[in-house]
Amino acid sequence: MPKDGGIGAATLRREDVRFLTGAGQYCDDIKVFGQASAMFARSNVANGVIKSIDTTAAAAMPGVLAIFTGEDFVEVGGNPAGWLINSRDGTPMHEPKRPVLAHGKVRHVGDAYAAVIAETPEQAKNAIEAIEADIEELPAVVNMKDALSGSNYVHDEIGTNQCFDWGWIEDNRDATDAAIKGAHHVTTLELVNNRLVPNAMEPRCSMAQYNRANDEYILHTTSQNPHLTRLLISAFVLGIPENKLTVIAPDVGGGFGSKIYHYGEEALVLAAAKKLNRPVKWTADRSEAFLTDAHGRDHVTKIELAMDAEGNFLAFRTETLANVGAYLSNFSTATPTFLHGTLMAGNYTVPNVYVNVKTVFTNTAPVDAYRGAGRPEATYSLERVIDMAAREIRMDPVELRRKNFIKPDQYPFASAAGLEYDSGNYDALMDKMEVVADKKGFEARRAESESKGLLRGFGVNAYIEACGIAPSNLVGILGSRVGLYDAATVRVNATGSLSVMVGAHSHGQGHETAFPQVVAEMLGIDPMSIDIVHGDTSKIPFGMGTYGSRSLAVCGSAVVRATEKIINKAKKIAAHMLEASEGDIAFNDGAFSVAGTDKSVSFGEVAFKAYVPHEFPLEDIEPGLEETAFYDPANFTYPSGAYCCEVELDPETGKVRVDRFAAVDDFGNIVNPMIVTGQVHGGLGQGIGQAMLENTTYDENGQLLSASYMDYTMPRADDLPFYTVDHSQGTPCTHNPLGVKGCGEAGAIGSPPTIVNAVIDAMQSGGKNVTHIDMPVTPHRVWSAMQNA
Amino acid sequence: MYAFDIECPTTIAEAAQALGGENQALSGGQTLIPTLKARLASPEKLVSLTAIAEMKGISSAGGVLSIGGATCHADVAADGSYKALSELAAHIGDPAVRNRGTIGGSVANNDPAACYPAAALASGATIVTNTREIAADDFFLGMFETALEEGEIVTAVKFPIPEKANYQKFVQPASRFALVGVFVAKTTDGVRVAVTGASNEGVHRWTAAEEALNASFAVSALDDLTVSADNLIADLHGSPEYRAHLIKVMTGRAVSAAS
């Protein structure tokens, strides 16, 4: 049994007290004296030339303090892409400037071309309506295939809508082609990975303060990674030195990727705060969130699976068009490439993989990483085509997967897509899934459904993902322009309480509970004496933030390293206090003792000594007890899982209900099983949302049709089943000190193909030979597919 | 939202007085307030009807259920004396909507996907205003259009309680309005079938089904009927053909469940 509050304990989340009692401090809750309000004039056409912007009338409106247009930011830098991707021919990607405010052209509905600062939000809105902008609408580029074949360019200066044409691994191309050509059986599937709006509960918000006395700025903003935001603003956009800019992400109400990125609104409020010498705040409304938060997914993929006569996988080959929208968001070039192509071998011993991805500019909102980021797209393609292949060769879909799984004795395993998996046991996951899901009982449940006139389908899926987004050396080779490590400072206060400054940002993940569990376990102290400090660049050493299921695997490892340094120093102090040699000091359950004696001092006594260093060997040991560690791992981590679900389908209406869902995941070691279960539940909700409900639809003019909750279907509680979640089959990560792998994205990665495979199985069981349906599997789509089968 | 004045009269007479000119009635605001927040309307003054005691409450006499125009959905849901109507009310929106939105506001707005218009039309209800009584058949004139004159107030809706009735709503997944909703009522004068959510013309009766069900009130009576997709709504959530199909399916389910 885990220690109370230590590693492995299902400790309740301490931060939930303030979240559930309305005491959270979100950006918009922060109000400072003299605060003015910013609002943005946004394009209502998808593509247009800005002929003129007349702000005269708007400037004369009550309460208006300043008006900015794109002209004001011509001299400052653009918001860059974080990864440089080269095309197959070696040429670098096209990287058009993403300005603070649109200048010359507007490129998507919602593209901001002017901003008003006024005393109140209402006054700013009124003035926005008084801006006279002459924008000549041009035909919009919306469909990716049309974008590549046409001569209407989102960015005229590039002369193409293709950002890059990437091959992975280019050296595998010929062997993969040959394997497919010579194969006994090839299954081909074309599918769409539907575009999603992230829909964090808290809309984006940014508030800038400027201090004229010392030329310093403070930016409160809804960010998953305040240091990265500071870096981008400092190094690329406004050039404010990092020592003059503090970025604070306080409580943040969900991100799912969309708050990783730096957005122009942040730069605007900073510039406005300096110009006016007043605090300036902007808070997005829900419509702005739909139009301007970076969207997710939006791939169109053709995948081929080649097999021999026994069903052994010989090759996967994919061709993908990936939408990047009108501008390159910070991770947009990594998501469809190194977070996607590298996973295209799945859990399988397949020897040949070749992935081709063409990224496409369109007159739509930028597209970037969204919970799972590339890995859901890879998993969906793989696990759909494997199911289709199983049907074609009349093999049980579970058996076909098992036949091709990497086996436990094959680790470390070099996948055909270029990664080295460190640990896993996919058969054990599948075994456990079959038990917890009562797979044997399926036929009886199907008969019961059929007696009610309903069809029942069983869907299965196996996934692997690369998490703990880091190793700097590896991501550097893959094109990252930043390092990906993390940092932590453990500060032991004089009276024995601890402040742990971490680079990971918590916006729903429960770090304030889980990280102290790690430190408490190591120090043998009460976790409630430990607080996490995060989200403030002036308080924490550095950090690359939270995304890619990296917090515990990367930042948690930095916390371990810093805590080890604390223990090492504390041992020195204890040795002095106990008049023993350091080598004789043992540390157990919060006490330092001299081996073979009953002499001991508590951790708290040592801490006090460190800060009240009377009779202290100052020549050997510095006072104080505070240590910092940076941690850069050797590899990604590789969570994996086996998922299954059962759906009930009403053949009269096409309505699908998820009746049962079992998720068996290998997250390695688990620090807080309750938080892990919650993370899986959240991911499943978003994955099932993608599979069944959510869809982002632009019309041919680039107007967003699904621009509100009246038409964009967010999952509700009654859309989702009760889940069976199991993480008993963990195989520890071999290269980080906690043996953890990351759990934030798994549910969103593993569930979409599970659902769609089940829906196809249900339709097949009703005598309808439907082999493919695109997400979301809405009642209308299911009914239509069955009509046409 | 643009700035506006608001008045909260306590009698129908005061409300009628206040509703001159460009002033806008507010009866729960479940459509109007979001419209104002999106700056899609800019009335000078809102006249709230929900403080008018004589427009609130439910009473039953002589087989007719009379519901005050300012009665909220939650109260209708809790009433239970017209079961199919209470069940319908219990599934409008969410609890917040049901405790704010009113029957008068709903029928006056006549959203093409709203539930109450189907109940009123199928039940052969009478819409009572501050100046007259209007049969449901004459009241609903098309999408967001009614027989109401400027400033006219829906003070009550009177429902003759049928022998049997049921409402089947197939929800639009995002809004949870009716993608297709069918209300079937079997009265001493015959069967009435009203369809909401489906048509560009708004709520309407399916007379062919009514005739068939008058001959035999059974699901099988619908077997030979087809619904034309002409003039049905096409949107992100369903084609006209899908809606036509659902009208028949939902009608059958309503007949089957009618009680």
Side-chain angles (χ1 to χ4, degrees):
Chain A
M1 283 292 287
K3 282 184 203 166
D4 184 30
I7 289 176
T11 308
L12 292 180
R13 302 197 333 166
R14 61 175 78 172
E15 50 266 72
D16 286 348
V17 175
R18 72 172 188 276
F19 294 152
L20 296 176
T21 58
Q25 273 283 301
Y26 297 88
C27 253
D28 195 55
D29 295 324
I30 297 163
K31 294 177 173 67
V32 295
F33 180 75
Q35 173 183 300
S37 207
M39 291 284 168
F40 290 84
R42 298 188 180 279
S43 178
N44 55 17
V45 300
N47 190 15
V49 175
I50 302 171
K51 301 280 221 189
S52 65
I53 301 175
D54 184 349
T55 60
T56 318
M61 301 275 288
V64 173
L65 301 169
I67 299 180
F68 294 85
T69 67
E71 197 68 36
D72 296 308
F73 293 94
V74 171
E75 300 299 322
V76 308
N79 185 5
W83 292 56
L84 172 65
I85 306 297
N86 290 327
S87 284
R88 293 168 48 210
D89 62 8
T91 57
M93 67 187 190
H94 294 292
E95 205 173 351
K97 181 177 178 181
R98 185 181 185 190
V100 174
L101 290 171
H103 183 249
K105 270 179 101 176
V106 286
R107 292 186 171 86
H108 67 91
V109 172
D111 203 1
Y113 58 83
V116 171
I117 319 300
E119 295 287 349
T120 72
E122 290 301 317
Q123 289 173 333
K125 265 192 183 174
N126 291 341
I128 290 290
E129 291 179 2
I131 292 175
E132 290 176 26
D134 179 7
I135 297 176
E136 181 191 344
E137 184 172 5
L138 302 173
V141 180
V142 179
N143 177 283
M144 286 193 280
K145 282 181 184 160
D146 295 347
L148 291 181
S149 61
S151 55
N152 180 15
Y153 303 126
V154 177
H155 296 275
D156 300 311
E157 68 275 20
I158 299 175
T160 171
N161 288 317
Q162 181 173 287
C163 176
F164 56 75
D165 172 5
W166 180 77
W168 186 257
I169 297 170
E170 199 58 25
D171 289 347
N172 291 354
R173 184 187 177 98
D174 292 343
T176 304
D177 289 350
I180 288 172
K181 200 172 177 187
H184 175 79
H185 187 94
V186 179
T187 298
T188 305
L189 174 61
E190 293 189 38
L191 48 80
V192 174
N193 206 292
N194 44 321
R195 183 176 180 126
L196 305 173
V197 175
N199 282 304
M201 196 181 289
E202 181 201 17
R204 287 192 289 124
C205 175
S206 300
M207 198 262 285
Q209 293 166 267
Y210 176 70
N211 184 344
R212 200 155 55 106
N214 47 16
D215 194 30
E216 285 181 0
Y217 299 77
I218 301 172
L219 175 68
H220 283 81
T221 192
T222 45
S223 175
Q224 298 177 219
N225 41 203
H227 276 97
L228 193 59
T229 297
R230 186 182 68 169
L231 182 69
L232 289 164
I233 292 170
S234 294
F236 296 93
V237 182
L238 295 179
I240 301 168
E242 284 159 291
N243 57 322
K244 295 291 187 188
L245 173 60
T246 295
V247 177
I248 301 172
D251 284 334
V252 172
F256 314 115
S258 69
K259 293 173 183 166
I260 299 172
Y261 326 116
H262 166 55
Y263 291 88
E265 290 90 350
E266 293 169 326
L268 188 286
V269 293
L270 284 165
K274 179 170 188 179
K275 178 171 178 174
L276 296 170
N277 193 30
R278 283 183 64 171
V280 176
K281 181 195 279 182
W282 164 75
T283 305
D285 63 25
R286 187 55 65 182
S287 297
E288 286 179 298
F290 269 97
L291 292 173
T292 68
D293 288 358
H295 293 176
R297 316 282 192 257
D298 206 350
H299 287 196
V300 176
T301 292
K302 176 185 171 190
I303 180 165
E304 294 158 286
L305 163 56
M307 295 181 291
D308 68 14
E310 281 74 48
N312 294 305
F313 297 169
L314 302 177
F316 288 109
R317 182 170 64 188
T318 68
E319 291 172 27
T320 290
L321 298 183
N323 204 334
V324 290
Y327 303 100
L328 294 181
S329 179
N330 302 136
F331 273 36
S332 61
T333 53
T335 302
T337 54
F338 292 109
L339 297 176
H340 167 245
T342 53
L343 275 301
M344 205 53 90
N347 312 40
Y348 308 106
T349 55
V350 58
N352 299 291
V353 172
Y354 180 73
V355 176
N356 176 243
V357 178
K358 295 182 175 75
T359 43
V360 186
F361 289 109
T362 58
N363 291 118
T364 64
V367 181
D368 205 326
Y370 168 76
R371 201 170 193 165
R375 290 148 291 165
E377 294 90 323
T379 300
Y380 185 69
S381 299
L382 288 170
E383 296 297 313
R384 287 286 322 284
V385 79
I386 291 169
D387 244 47
M388 181 183 258
R391 189 166 291 108
E392 286 176 0
I393 65 168
R394 299 177 192 281
M395 187 184 283
D396 179 85
V398 172
E399 286 317 304
L400 182 59
R401 287 175 171 87
R402 284 181 181 276
K403 189 178 185 68
N404 289 281
F405 274 163
I406 299 159
K407 300 300 176 190
D409 61 359
Q410 290 179 281
Y411 295 96
F413 183 85
S415 93
L419 296 176
E420 187 179 281
Y421 303 161
D422 64 333
S423 63
N425 188 341
Y426 311 138
D427 279 302
L429 295 168
M430 199 64 98
D431 292 344
K432 188 72 179 179
M433 180 276 282
E434 294 193 25
V435 173
V436 300
D438 182 28
K439 185 164 180 274
K440 282 184 185 154
F442 171 71
E443 288 304 331
R445 291 188 293 273
R446 171 174 271 178
E448 194 185 327
S449 295
E450 288 175 351
S451 73
K452 295 182 288 184
L454 302 172
L455 303 173
R456 180 173 284 259
F458 184 88
V460 68
N461 155 68
Y463 78 86
I464 185 166
E465 52 167 331
C467 285
I469 298 302
S472 295
N473 282 333
L474 187 50
V475 299
I477 292 166
L478 300 178
S480 174
R481 286 164 162 161
V482 294
L484 284 168
Y485 44 84
D486 225 291
T489 294
V490 175
R491 176 178 299 157
V492 182
N493 300 310
T495 55
S497 66
L498 272 75
S499 302
V500 180
M501 280 60 81
V502 293
H505 183 272
S506 186
H507 37 278
Q509 289 84 353
H511 295 173
E512 290 170 40
T513 301
F515 282 23
Q517 289 183 247
V518 172
V519 179
E521 175 85 19
M522 293 178 70
L523 298 180
I525 59 176
D526 178 4
M528 292 310 291
S529 67
I530 305 164
D531 268 325
I532 294 301
V533 178
H534 68 95
D536 184 336
T537 60
S538 69
K539 291 182 179 170
I540 56 181
F542 200 76
M544 296 307 294
T546 291
Y547 43 83
S549 305
R550 70 191 301 278
S551 295
L552 192 59
V554 186
C555 190
S557 298
V559 169
V560 170
R561 292 287 185 247
T563 306
E564 285 169 352
K565 291 185 185 179
I566 291 286
I567 293 170
N568 288 340
K569 181 168 180 183
K571 275 186 178 173
K572 287 192 174 73
I573 298 170
H576 170 72
M577 293 168 74
L578 295 167
E579 298 176 331
S581 79
E582 191 190 333
D584 291 336
I585 300 293
F587 181 53
N588 286 304
D589 292 331
F592 297 90
S593 56
V594 182
T597 75
D598 59 358
K599 288 166 65 179
S600 76
V601 287
S602 69
F603 181 79
E605 289 170 310
V606 172
F608 190 77
K609 192 72 174 176
Y611 288 94
V612 187
H614 300 157
E615 299 172 25
F616 201 77
L618 293 168
E619 62 281 8
D620 297 328
I621 315 173
E622 290 175 16
L625 195 51
E626 172 171 329
E627 298 288 350
T628 294
F630 280 61
Y631 180 81
D632 199 331
N635 194 352
F636 295 117
T637 64
Y638 299 97
S640 59
Y643 285 14
C644 75
C645 76
E646 292 179 26
V647 299
E648 244 183 6
L649 188 159
D650 179 349
E652 278 194 318
T653 64
K655 170 90 178 157
V656 174
R657 184 180 70 86
V658 184
D659 185 45
R660 300 161 67 90
F661 201 110
V664 179
D665 294 287
D666 172 2
F667 297 134
N669 295 333
I670 303 284
V671 169
N672 184 320
M674 185 205 67
I675 290 177
V676 168
T677 299
Q679 286 287 315
V680 173
H681 281 206
L684 290 174
Q686 285 180 298
I688 295 172
Q690 170 169 30
M692 301 182 66
L693 303 165
E694 300 181 47
N695 202 26
T696 306
T697 310
Y698 285 93
D699 73 8
E700 69 276 14
N701 299 314
Q703 294 293 331
L704 183 60
L705 300 180
S706 53
S708 80
Y709 295 133
M710 292 299 280
D711 285 302
Y712 189 91
T713 313
M714 285 296 284
R716 293 162 163 96
D718 66 350
D719 290 314
L720 305 170
F722 287 94
Y723 307 118
T724 301
V725 172
D726 181 284
H727 26 79
S728 64
Q729 303 301 306
T731 59
C733 169
T734 60
H735 59 76
N736 66 46
L738 290 166
V740 297
K741 294 186 172 179
C743 65
E745 298 160 293
I749 293 169
S751 53
T754 313
I755 295 283
V756 178
N757 287 342
V759 170
I760 290 172
D761 185 55
M763 291 191 283
Q764 291 275 341
S765 79
K768 300 288 187 183
N769 189 26
V770 179
T771 57
H772 171 61
I773 184 168
D774 273 322
M775 301 185 290
V777 288
T778 62
H780 181 211
R781 284 191 179 173
V782 172
W783 178 80
S784 300
M786 292 180 75
Q787 296 308 299
N788 300 329
Chain B
M1 196 180 280
Y2 298 106
F4 55 82
D5 293 325
I6 186 160
E7 195 167 327
C8 300
T10 55
T11 68
I12 294 170
E14 285 171 10
Q17 185 76 28
L19 276 172
E22 296 298 301
N23 297 345
Q24 168 70 48
L26 172 70
S27 187
Q30 297 309 294
T31 300
L32 182 57
I33 297 297
T35 307
L36 296 178
K37 286 171 81 171
R39 293 191 158 203
L40 296 173
S42 52
E44 288 278 309
K45 183 192 275 184
L46 297 184
V47 179
S48 174
L49 305 178
T50 48
I52 301 172
E54 59 189 304
M55 277 176 58
K56 296 180 102 158
I58 303 168
S59 62
S60 180
V64 175
L65 191 70
S66 183
I67 303 174
T71 307
C72 71
H73 311 328
D75 289 346
V76 177
D79 180 67
S81 49
Y82 180 176
K83 182 164 165 270
L85 187 68
S86 291
E87 286 175 357
L88 173 151
H91 291 92
I92 298 173
D94 56 21
V97 169
R98 292 194 286 275
N99 282 292
R100 280 279 173 194
T102 66
I103 189 167
S106 175
V107 297
N109 189 46
N110 192 20
D111 187 299
C115 297
Y116 268 135
L121 190 59
S123 304
T126 300
I127 287 67
V128 182
T129 77
N130 55 326
T131 59
R132 56 183 170 147
E133 298 200 347
I134 310 167
D137 279 317
D138 301 323
F139 181 84
F140 300 106
L141 301 181
M143 210 180 254
F144 297 110
E145 281 184 36
T146 68
L148 291 173
E149 303 286 347
E150 283 297 320
E152 194 172 1
I153 300 166
V154 176
T155 58
V157 184
K158 289 190 208 169
F159 290 89
I161 300 176
E163 290 173 12
K164 286 181 165 186
N166 185 258
Y167 178 62
Q168 292 286 323
K169 172 162 69 168
F170 192 84
V171 298
Q172 194 260 53
S175 69
R176 298 223 173 155
F177 273 78
L179 186 71
V180 168
V182 178
F183 201 106
V184 173
K186 183 174 186 294
T187 72
T188 47
D189 297 331
V191 177
R192 290 167 66 101
V193 177
V195 179
T196 188
S199 171
N200 288 316
E201 310 269 312
V203 66
H204 64 280
R205 286 169 66 184
W206 185 16
T207 51
E210 292 177 355
E211 286 164 21
L213 292 167
N214 275 327
S216 164
F217 192 74
V219 180
S220 58
L222 304 170
D223 284 352
D224 296 333
L225 301 183
T226 54
V227 180
S228 166
D230 291 350
N231 215 15
L232 297 189
I233 295 169
D235 62 16
L236 293 177
H237 309 283
S239 63
E241 292 73 22
Y242 184 50
R243 283 185 162 87
H245 169 77
L246 285 177
I247 289 171
K248 182 170 168 176
V249 172
M250 292 298 125
T251 303
R253 290 182 182 186
V255 169
S256 181
S259 61

